[in-house]
């Protein structure tokens, strides 16, 4: 039997000045059907296509239940609710422990595939006013995941995500994060990640570079926004 996961809400956003930066993180719910192209939901924007968006990062899904964790971790001074992480898809019942790299889902008329975990960045620190937010998200693997669009089509929050394909020996998003972020030079972990069908080209390049050089890339610019 195919697994079906209801969607709570779908979000899109425009780039504007908010949270002390230019960002499209402040997304709004979409009512009714919306077209999903290879580059994402119609009308959805990202501030920079170097680290966000593109065909392998067309959509971001985030588990709504994680907001309770953030509320407890950092207190009630923030509005801990979807789409606070800039996600396009908000669900309950799908987490990093359940979803695997390479999973394919039917969504409305579209087919989407999990391409990688989200790599947390310093803009989340600004968004929530917590200097270490991106680091904690990375350490806990409560980062959500990204999709590429295999078949464009019309989608909506009324249509569930239907798991239609999972490869053998697939790693969950949590397992992938635990290796990639938590034990980044583990030979077996790198081999397992590199073997994942559907893994994004950028993550594949990084993993192969680690295998070749036995060095981990500098995370400080991404996590803290310090580029010097």
């Amino acid at each position: 039997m195919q697994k079906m996961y209801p969607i709570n809400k779908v979000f899109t956003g425009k780039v504007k000045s908010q949270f002390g930066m230019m960002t499209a993180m402040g997304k709004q719910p979409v009512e009714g059907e919306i077209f999903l192209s290879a580059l994402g939901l119609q009308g959805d924007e990202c501030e920079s296509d170097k680290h966000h968006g593109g065909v392998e990062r067309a959509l971001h899904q985030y588990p709504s239940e994680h907001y309770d964790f953030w509320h407890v971790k950092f207190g009630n001074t923030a509005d801990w609710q979807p789409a606070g992480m800039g996600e396009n898809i908000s669900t309950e019942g799908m987490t990093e422990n359940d979803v695997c790299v390479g999973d394919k889902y039917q969504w409305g008329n579209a087919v989407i595939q999990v391409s990688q975990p989200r790599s947390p960045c310093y803009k989340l620190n600004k968004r929530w006013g917590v200097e270490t937010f991106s680091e904690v998200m990375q350490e806990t693997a409560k980062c959500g995941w990204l999709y590429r669009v295999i078949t464009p089509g019309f989608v909506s929050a009324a249509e569930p995500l239907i798991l239609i394909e999972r490869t053998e020996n697939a790693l969950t998003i949590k397992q992938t994060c635990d290796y990639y972020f938590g034990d980044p030079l583990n030979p077996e972990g790198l081999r397992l990640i590199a073997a994942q069908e559907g893994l994004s080209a950028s993550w594949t390049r990084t993993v192969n570079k680690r295998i070749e050089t036995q060095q981990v890339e500098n995370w400080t610019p991404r996590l803290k926004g310090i580029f010097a």
Side-chain angles (χ1 to χ4, degrees):
M1 181 178 177
Q2 292 175 323
K3 291 185 178 181
M4 301 177 61
Y5 302 94
I7 292 174
N8 293 336
K9 289 185 179 180
V10 174
F11 300 93
T12 62
K14 299 288 188 182
V15 176
K16 59 183 178 181
S17 178
Q18 52 187 336
F19 315 123
M21 58 184 168
M22 293 299 295
T23 180
M25 202 177 297
K27 298 187 185 299
Q28 298 299 316
V30 174
E31 301 295 334
E33 284 193 329
I34 185 171
F35 187 72
L36 175 64
S37 74
L39 292 176
L41 294 167
Q42 184 176 7
D44 194 41
E45 296 179 351
C46 61
E47 190 274 329
S48 169
D49 59 7
K50 182 177 181 181
H51 301 293
H52 305 90
V55 295
E56 296 202 311
R57 298 173 295 202
L59 292 166
H60 177 222
Q61 183 173 342
Y62 198 74
S64 64
E65 48 264 55
H66 287 348
Y67 286 97
D68 288 338
F69 170 85
W70 298 118
H71 180 105
V72 171
K73 180 72 175 178
F74 293 120
N76 60 2
T77 58
D79 191 13
W80 301 108
Q81 64 177 348
M85 306 302 167
E87 63 266 34
N88 300 112
I89 303 172
S90 177
T91 54
E92 187 171 350
M94 293 176 74
T95 72
E96 294 82 0
N97 292 307
D98 313 305
V99 175
C100 293
V101 174
D103 280 356
K104 288 184 181 179
Y105 294 88
Q106 182 80 42
W107 182 23
N109 295 325
V111 175
I112 58 179
Q113 182 182 34
V114 177
S115 58
Q116 65 175 75
R118 179 197 187 151
S119 298
C121 78
Y122 69 95
K123 289 191 174 183
L124 289 164
N125 305 347
K126 291 186 176 183
R127 163 67 179 89
W128 294 108
V130 177
E131 186 177 353
T132 60
F133 191 93
S134 61
E135 294 171 275
V136 175
M137 177 180 276
Q138 179 167 292
E139 290 166 2
T140 58
K142 297 183 185 298
C143 52
W145 52 92
L146 304 176
Y147 291 99
R148 64 171 61 87
V149 178
I150 303 297
T151 305
F154 283 94
V155 298
S156 75
E159 298 282 354
L161 294 172
I162 304 172
L163 179 64
I164 58 174
E165 184 178 327
R166 172 171 291 174
T167 60
E168 291 186 11
N169 303 317
L171 289 178
T172 67
I173 295 296
K174 178 67 163 61
Q175 290 171 322
T176 304
C177 288
D178 286 348
Y179 283 127
Y180 189 88
F181 295 125
D183 196 3
L185 290 179
N186 181 300
E188 177 65 7
L190 291 174
R191 185 191 66 79
L192 288 170
I193 295 173
Q196 296 302 298
E197 293 183 30
L199 184 68
S200 69
S202 62
W203 272 53
T204 300
R205 284 194 301 269
T206 300
V207 169
N208 287 334
K209 187 174 181 180
R210 289 183 191 176
I211 294 172
E212 179 183 348
T213 65
Q214 289 298 296
Q215 292 183 335
V216 179
E217 63 280 3
N218 182 12
W219 293 342
T220 300
R222 172 172 59 83
L223 292 174
K224 299 184 178 181
I226 299 173
F227 297 91

